[in-house]
Structures are given as structure tokens and as C-alpha cells.
Amino acid sequence: AGCAAVVLIAASVPLAWLDMPPASAQAMMRTPNINIPLRTPTVNPTIAPRIDPNVAARPNTTTGGPTTPRVTPTTTSMRPRFNPNSTMPHARYSSNLYPSCEAGNRDATGECKGQPTASGDGGGTGKSAKGKGKGKGPSSPSTATISLNIPNELVAEIDGSMSEEQVRAMAQRHGMVLVESQNFPLIDATIGLFRVTNGRPLDAARRDFAADGRVRGVQFNLRHFLQQTRTAAGDPAQYAVAKLKLPQAHTLARGMNVTIAVIDSGIDASHPELANSISDNFDALGSKEGAHVHGTGIAGAIAAHGRLMGSAPEARIIAIRAFASAQGGAESSTYVIIKSLNYAVLHGAQIINMSFAGPKDMLIERAIAATAARDIVLVAAAGNAGPKSPPLFPAANPNVIAVSGTDAQDRLFAASNRGVHIALAAPGTDVFLPAPDQKYQMTSGTSFSAAYVSGVVALLLERNPALKPNDIRAILTATARDLGAPGKDELFGHGQADAFAAAKAAIASPAVPMAVAPGGPGAGTDNDVSVSRELKVPSAAMASDKSANNEPNRPAAQ
């Protein structure tokens, strides 16, 4: 009887389990709580939003595969939230292309010997305000096949008294053809671009050409790359606006009557965010390529004033197209960048934004020194080659304000270059910016960090046009919000730029009378007049074969 009772009890247990209501079974599982906080930038209520009612956000559409319910938090209607995938396809331009091998692994021409270190490999440590933390950088394509030189091209300073026919004849004697030559008042020199046609090794052709009595110096036509990574999904709220304290800063200045030259790829001047912002255009390439995501995003970080907010929404931009699409990215060369710098100086630029990076280029170094001597502020991206990269130029030039990138949590952008030359940091990770054809993009790179800082410089110059480049550097670094290790460090420099604090400090600087040409920057009467600046600084001799051509690529001390 006892055994029978045990059997009956055992048989009834699964029946009782099956009779349990579904709610009881579900109660045994833990359902995660979904909490999605809003990340809308704080906007000063005294500033009216600038929204173009004619531009509507695109609907979010998906194709293929099953659909998944989306949880969307409730937001205010003042600033619509965009889905970057519905307005801009993933950009493929300029994932890091710079070969970031160690400085000791470069040959005399600057090329990487053997297999270079992969860029942005996350081998470094990114520090935040709370402490240290390791981050992995984005993977990059193999750089073994990337040359820093334009194939078969040389750039030379030649005797300016020669006629074009004489230059062509000289080139022919050395197995080359003249591609283009121009006199550059910026460096008081005539520079020619030559292409080797007789099949000789480029270095042998360079040495032979440098020995000609009418050639004052020869170098390779070096490649330079824009500093942008692939677009990424994320929160499109403009966190950079709050980080830089732009709404507060714009109660003091908005960049009015300040001219910024943007040496970059093509800019979509018709974008609603850039309406009336482009005061001048120059195509240093002479090609027919249209607007580009990088150049348009850079201009937006500086001057956006529609749905988005740039750091200097009233600034005037000289759009200089110096970079063209290439395999996997956008690139330029020594000769084209010299043309661009020369144009910017001659047409009244007060600030020059250089969101590109490359090797130490003696001709560009010479042009930067001449530009800085004219009291023009130079701002450059630190580079996206990662923690193992040597310093990249022009950011490592002591006349340039080098800017590294940060994210919404004030951590260092994983692919950002480091170094003692870094002056400041600014948002550059997953920033929301305009793109060609009235679209928008979510993108990352120290390029955009530099652009934000260029706009902040414009605020300072509006407040006090007498400020010199060294004054501006001192104000920016003194008012920056310290990040990472206390004091200046190799990741964030002096800290993250603070537009409001810098703008307040600018007016307190001693004002020095500055002669301004009628209608020029600072006149406050005509926003569309550019002024050529008188060129008085003597040029330094271009490095020739008889000088130290193989100087190590070390950054000069700040």
C-alpha cells in the first residue's frame, strides 16, 4: 500500500505542473528594465532656435528581413531626432589611411620599411576625467601597399626668371615633363610640379634634378589624407554643443566678420545648414568632382545654423577644394596644399582649418611658417593613426594648434594621435553633421574636433580682433576644461575647449590697434569682401639635396 501511494504521488506531480497558469511560469523569469534616457543638448532659452521649415526629416525605412519593434523615447519637437541611416548612407571616405609605422621603421623618403603597424589598433590607453581606461580603436586596412609619395612626381623650386619654354626644356633634359608651375607670393618662390617619364627610380631622378643649377630644391610630391573614420550608428543628439558650451558662448559672439579658410574636399554650399556661409570658393584641383561628405561636415562643424549648431554660425568660409576621392579615401598632395595655403592668405583668411594629416613635408612646413608670420591662426587635426603612430603633420608643427578628439563621455577618441604637441581636445566621436544633397551624417574623426576649435577661434577674434595667434593659443589652453592626468598631457593637451570661457576671456586681453583695410575683416560693414594681405616676410630656402633632406620627422617643441 505504501509503495502504491508513492507511485500515485509521483504520477500527479507533472500533472500539477501542467495545470499551472502561464503567468506563474513567466514570473520565474526576470524581465530586464529598459531605461533610455534622453540626451538632448541644453539650449540657452534666450537664443531662438534657427530651424528651416522647408527641410523635413526623412522617414525611417527598412528593407529586407523581419522587422523589430523600436523603442523611441518621447522628445520635444524643437529639435527633431534624426536617424542617420535614413538620411545618409555609410560613408567610406578616409577610414584611417596613414601608414602608422614607428618612426624608426621609416626610410629616408618617409616610407614604411616592411609591414607597418596597423593604424588605430587600440594599443594605447585613453584616460577620462574619472581615471584610466583602455579602448580599442577601429580596425584599418592594411597599410603595406600605401605609399606616401605620388608615383613619379616631384615638386621643385625653380629659377623664377625662366620662361615656361625654358622650364619645359630643362625638364625634358632630365627625363621629365612639366605638369604645372606657379609663383607663390606666400613663400616668394616659383614651384613646379614635374612627372618622371623615363622610368628611372624616383629618388635617382630627384638627386639628378637637384644638381641642376636652375633648381633650388627638390622633394617628393607627398600624400596627405583627410582624418575621418567610417560613419557609425549612435545617438544623433549634438552632444558637442553642450560640451563646448556653444549656446552660452553665442550670447557673446557668433563669429561675425571673421573669415575661415577650409582646406578640404568639396563643400555643399547649397546645404540649408550652410546658407550664406560660403563667401568664396577656390578649386585647387581643377577637377569636376562635386561636394564631399568630409568637406561638408567640416564646414557644418564650424558654421551650421539650421537644425544644427556650429561653433561659429556667423563666420565666413573660404571653401578651398584640395582633396579628391581616391581608393578608400580622399587625398591631396604637397603641390595642391601649397596652392591652397597661398590662396587662403591672399584672400584674407584669418583662420585656416587643416583637417588632414601626413608626413613632415618641408615645403608645407615652409608655407606654414610664412602663414603664421602674417598672424593667421592655423588649426589642424591631430590625426587618426592611433597610439603607436609618430606625430603627424601639419598638427605637429609648433605654429599650429593641434586638436585631438573626445567622445560624449569625455574619453579620448580611440584612433586619435597622441603627443606632446597636442594643444587641445574637442568632440570628434559620433558627431552629427551635414552631408551633401541636404542630408546629414553621423561621423567621427579628429578632423571635426579641429573644425570645432577653428570656430571657437572665430568667436575670440570677433570679440577682440587685435588678438595674435599666441594670444589665442594662450586663451584656449588657459580656459580649457582639464581631462585625463592633471595638467597638460599627451592625450588631451591642456583639456577640452570651452567656447564660453574662452570668449569671456578674449575681451579681457589687452587691445592693440590693428590696421584694417576698408571692408576687410573687422570692418563690420560687408561680410562678403575678402582682403589680400601684404606679403613682407622673406622666405626661407627650400630644403635641397645639399641640405639635411633626411631630417627625422620629429615634432618641434611647443
Side-chain angles (χ1 to χ4, degrees):
C3 291
V6 171
V7 171
L8 289 174
I9 292 171
S12 65
V13 169
L15 296 177
W17 175 264
L18 292 175
D19 287 340
M20 290 176 65
S24 299
Q26 293 294 325
M28 298 173 65
M29 301 174 58
R30 293 189 178 184
T31 303
N33 295 325
I34 300 177
N35 182 16
I36 304 179
L38 298 181
R39 290 196 293 171
T40 303
T42 304
V43 179
N44 191 318
T46 63
I47 301 177
R50 301 178 62 175
I51 300 177
D52 187 345
N54 297 321
V55 181
R58 294 173 179 261
N60 180 26
T61 59
T62 57
T63 56
T67 59
T68 302
R70 299 174 63 90
V71 179
T72 305
T74 303
T75 61
T76 61
S77 59
M78 186 187 74
R79 188 183 295 267
R81 294 171 64 88
F82 298 93
N83 181 344
N85 294 327
S86 67
T87 58
M88 182 64 201
H90 287 294
R92 296 183 179 178
Y93 295 101
S94 293
S95 55
N96 176 41
L97 293 177
Y98 190 81
S100 61
C101 58
E102 300 290 348
N105 291 330
R106 296 186 185 277
D107 59 24
T109 68
E111 300 290 351
C112 292
K113 295 183 292 187
Q115 177 69 33
T117 303
S119 304
D121 60 358
T125 300
K127 295 181 289 183
S128 68
K130 296 181 179 179
K132 299 180 180 180
K134 294 183 179 180
K136 295 182 179 181
S139 60
S140 63
S142 173
T143 56
T145 59
I146 297 176
S147 171
L148 297 185
N149 306 330
I150 303 294
N152 301 319
E153 289 188 0
L154 295 172
V155 180
E157 181 180 357
I158 57 179
D159 185 347
S161 65
M162 287 192 296
S163 66
E164 183 176 339
E165 290 74 16
Q166 289 174 317
V167 176
R168 292 187 183 280
M170 178 182 67
Q172 188 175 11
R173 289 195 302 271
H174 291 278
M176 298 186 295
V177 295
L178 174 66
V179 177
E180 182 182 349
S181 67
Q182 182 178 334
N183 177 264
F184 295 104
L186 173 62
I187 55 176
D188 190 24
T190 299
I191 306 295
L193 175 62
F194 299 88
R195 182 172 295 119
V196 178
T197 57
N198 62 2
R200 283 186 303 168
L202 191 59
D203 193 43
R206 180 182 65 87
R207 291 194 299 268
D208 176 60
F209 199 34
D212 192 295
R214 291 197 167 188
V215 176
R216 298 177 180 175
V218 187
Q219 71 167 62
F220 301 113
N221 195 20
L222 298 176
R223 280 192 168 107
H224 298 264
F225 303 96
L226 296 177
Q227 297 300 291
Q228 177 183 13
T229 64
R230 292 183 177 90
T231 55
D235 189 346
Q238 273 198 294
Y239 76 89
V241 170
K243 291 292 183 183
L244 296 171
K245 298 184 181 178
L246 295 182
Q248 299 93 320
H250 291 167
T251 63
L252 303 176
R254 295 170 63 83
M256 184 173 293
N257 294 326
V258 180
T259 302
I260 304 175
V262 174
I263 299 177
D264 216 281
S265 52
I267 296 173
D268 184 1
S270 66
H271 199 291
E273 298 288 347
L274 302 174
N276 301 317
S277 293
I278 310 301
S279 63
D280 190 11
N281 283 280
F282 174 61
D283 189 345
L285 294 172
S287 65
K288 296 181 179 180
E289 186 173 297
H292 189 273
V293 290
H294 191 275
T296 304
I298 293 297
I302 294 172
H305 53 262
R307 291 189 170 113
L308 308 182
M309 181 185 291
S311 50
E314 299 294 340
R316 301 178 296 196
I317 292 178
I318 301 176
I320 300 178
R321 189 157 69 89
F323 286 77
S325 297
Q327 184 177 4
E331 65 180 55
S332 187
S333 68
T334 300
Y335 189 78
V336 172
I337 292 173
I338 293 297
K339 287 173 65 176
S340 303
L341 286 167
N342 186 75
Y343 187 92
V345 172
L346 292 178
H347 289 77
Q350 297 161 273
I351 305 161
I352 299 179
N353 185 85
M354 301 179 291
S355 289
F356 54 85
K360 189 170 185 178
D361 189 317
M362 297 311 297
L363 191 55
I364 293 178
E365 292 282 287
R366 176 177 164 186
I368 286 175
T371 302
R374 289 157 175 80
D375 291 332
I376 298 171
V377 182
L378 296 146
V379 182
N384 300 344
K388 294 185 178 181
S389 169
L392 300 183
F393 290 81
N397 185 296
N399 293 306
V400 176
I401 298 174
V403 187
S404 63
T406 55
D407 64 12
Q409 287 75 44
D410 293 336
R411 298 171 302 198
L412 187 72
F413 174 48
S416 181
N417 275 53
R418 285 82 159 158
V420 296
H421 61 288
I422 303 297
L424 291 167
T429 306
D430 292 341
V431 288
F432 194 51
L433 297 168
D437 301 323
Q438 301 188 14
K439 296 178 181 178
Y440 292 84
Q441 60 177 316
M442 182 76 75
T443 188
S444 300
T446 57
S447 280
F448 310 105
S449 308
Y452 278 122
V453 170
S454 290
V456 174
V457 173
L459 305 184
L460 273 58
L461 285 176
E462 180 189 339
R463 294 270 285 170
N464 188 350
L467 292 173
K468 303 297 184 183
N470 285 339
D471 300 329
I472 289 171
R473 181 190 291 269
I475 292 172
L476 290 174
T477 55
T479 58
R481 182 166 59 90
D482 191 26
L483 298 178
K488 187 178 186 297
D489 59 60
E490 296 188 0
L491 279 68
F492 308 98
H494 292 271
Q496 189 176 80
D498 185 326
F500 184 45
K504 286 193 297 183
I507 203 66
S509 298
V512 179
M514 182 178 69
V516 179
T525 56
D526 186 350
N527 287 356
D528 296 320
V529 177
S530 295
V531 178
S532 297
R533 299 174 184 230
E534 187 177 1
L535 306 178
K536 295 182 179 178
V537 179
S539 63
M542 180 179 174
S544 69
D545 212 52
K546 303 176 184 63
S547 62
N549 275 321
N550 298 333
E551 178 185 354
N553 287 348
R554 292 190 296 267
Q558 287 288 350

